[in-house]
Amino acid sequence: MIKMYKATRDDIDALMDMRLKMLREVNKLPEEHEFPEEFVNFTKLFFLHGNQTTWIVDDGGAVGCASICYYELMPTFDHPSGRRAQIMNVYTRPEYRKKGYASTLLRLLIEDAKDRGVTEIKLDSAEGKGKLYKLAGFKDSEECMVLDINRLLQRNIELAEKTGCKPHQCCSCEEKKES
């Protein structure tokens, strides 16, 4: 019998199994692909201690899941609470698809967000999955600008190795020398 429930720490193994299956599928990785230990450990920590809610579809074992992650920004006129969220990991095993589980999970996550005073929910849609989200009211939007701190630091380390200059986090060595 199918049941849906909010995940608890007792579900960590099922959550990790579902997330890694989803990532393999979305990224077209072989089933035997091993993820870096650091990535797996940080993911477990987030499921256990992160500001998130995850729902599971269970049929004698996890067959689907969906998560919403919560964060806060400074309040704005459009978002006076500053509370925002991002939906992630909406996944059902192939044999359980097209039965309404994903749309039910999505509805449950949206209700949870409303209960928490969230004023904006974002998500990234896997290829070909946008219809589900549009039916729930999501709209396409332009991507914002992003700074990848890890890439910036790596670039500065590489520059320092080339020039012998100490790496800076906020600018290139040329700019730092001019000040």
Side-chain angles (χ1 to χ4, degrees), residues 20-37:
L20 298 179
K21 281 182 189 315
M22 184 263 315
L23 289 172
R24 285 185 188 103
E25 183 178 322
V26 167
N27 293 291
K28 298 174 176 52
L29 299 171
E31 205 167 305
E32 63 276 357
H33 177 82
E34 293 290 323
F35 291 92
E37 184 178 349

Side-chain angles (χ1 to χ4, degrees), residues 64-119:
C65 65
S67 300
I68 189 166
C69 305
Y70 296 100
Y71 58 98
E72 290 188 33
L73 297 173
M74 185 178 292
T76 64
F77 292 128
D78 289 340
H79 305 286
S81 72
R83 294 181 190 127
R84 315 279 179 97
Q86 178 142 354
I87 291 180
M88 301 181 72
N89 302 325
V90 179
Y91 179 76
T92 50
R93 293 185 187 216
E95 63 272 23
Y96 287 87
R97 292 181 185 158
K98 304 286 185 196
K99 298 180 184 206
Y101 301 125
S103 59
T104 300
L105 291 172
L106 190 58
R107 184 182 49 73
L108 291 166
L109 294 177
I110 292 168
E111 287 302 316
D112 193 69
K114 286 178 186 175
D115 291 345
R116 291 176 181 234
V118 167
T119 57

Side-chain angles (χ1 to χ4, degrees), residues 20-172:
L20 298 179
K21 281 182 189 315
M22 184 263 315
L23 289 172
R24 285 185 188 103
E25 183 178 322
V26 167
N27 293 291
K28 298 174 176 52
L29 299 171
E31 205 167 305
E32 63 276 357
H33 177 82
E34 293 290 323
F35 291 92
E37 184 178 349
E38 181 182 45
F39 171 78
V40 171
N41 289 338
F42 277 122
T43 303
K44 282 181 182 179
L45 283 172
F46 188 80
F47 275 130
L48 292 170
H49 305 291
N51 191 7
Q52 59 84 33
T53 299
T54 300
W55 280 83
I56 292 177
V57 179
D58 187 291
D59 188 18
V63 298
C65 65
S67 300
I68 189 166
C69 305
Y70 296 100
Y71 58 98
E72 290 188 33
L73 297 173
M74 185 178 292
T76 64
F77 292 128
D78 289 340
H79 305 286
S81 72
R83 294 181 190 127
R84 315 279 179 97
Q86 178 142 354
I87 291 180
M88 301 181 72
N89 302 325
V90 179
Y91 179 76
T92 50
R93 293 185 187 216
E95 63 272 23
Y96 287 87
R97 292 181 185 158
K98 304 286 185 196
K99 298 180 184 206
Y101 301 125
S103 59
T104 300
L105 291 172
L106 190 58
R107 184 182 49 73
L108 291 166
L109 294 177
I110 292 168
E111 287 302 316
D112 193 69
K114 286 178 186 175
D115 291 345
R116 291 176 181 234
V118 167
T119 57
E120 180 180 70
I121 302 173
K122 295 182 177 183
L123 61 81
D124 295 318
S125 176
E127 192 175 315
K129 303 296 182 194
K131 183 179 178 185
L132 168 71
Y133 305 118
K134 286 180 181 177
L135 288 171
F138 285 85
K139 307 253 184 283
D140 291 323
S141 70
E142 293 294 319
E143 230 4 81
C144 60
M145 295 179 77
V146 176
L147 173 64
D148 183 329
I149 297 293
N150 288 329
R151 282 195 186 136
L152 177 66
L153 293 175
Q154 185 60 41
R155 183 197 75 175
N156 287 339
I157 289 168
E158 290 167 2
L159 185 60
E161 289 171 350
K162 280 184 193 174
T163 64
C165 191
K166 290 185 180 180
H168 309 287
Q169 288 185 321
C170 59
C171 59
S172 70

